[in-house]
Amino acid sequence: MENKTTTDHEQIRRWAEERGGRPAAVVDSERKDVAAGGLRIDFPDYDSGEDLQEITWTEFFDRFEEENLTFIFQEEMVC
C-alpha cells in the first residue's frame, strides 16, 4: 500500500469520518493531561493500547497547525 500525505483539513476530516474515526489526543499518563500528548485518529473497533481522549476537530487542527504536522494515510485500511 502506498502512503499518502496531506495537510488539508477537510481531506483529513473526510478520510477519518468515512472510516468511523474521531479526533483524539494521547493522555500524558504522568500529568493526566492531553495537552502534552500526541494527536491521533481514534477508531472505535481498534485498540491502539494508548490512553486516548476525544477532542474536537477544532482542537485537533489547532494543534496540527501549531506543531506544523503532516497527516500520513492510506486509502485502504489494513486490519
Side-chain angles (χ1 to χ4, degrees):
M1 297 243 150
E2 180 183 337
N3 286 339
K4 297 183 179 189
T5 62
T6 188
T7 57
D8 181 88
H9 295 191
E10 284 306 310
Q11 184 179 16
I12 295 166
R13 183 176 182 156
R14 184 174 46 252
W15 181 91
E17 289 180 346
E18 285 174 355
R19 292 156 178 81
R22 302 293 307 151
V26 178
V27 176
D28 182 317
S29 59
E30 290 182 18
R31 294 176 36 194
K32 301 293 182 203
D33 179 16
V34 296
L39 295 175
R40 300 288 187 272
I41 301 295
D42 187 22
F43 296 97
D45 295 331
Y46 177 74
D47 181 6
S48 67
E50 297 176 295
D51 188 11
L52 300 178
Q53 178 178 325
E54 188 171 323
I55 59 175
T56 67
W57 281 114
T58 300
E59 292 170 311
F60 182 92
F61 288 122
D62 284 350
R63 289 182 54 190
F64 186 84
E65 291 300 323
E66 287 171 10
E67 298 177 27
N68 197 30
L69 299 176
T70 299
F71 186 71
I72 301 170
F73 66 104
Q74 296 178 344
E75 287 299 330
E76 301 292 323
M77 288 184 66
V78 178
C79 297

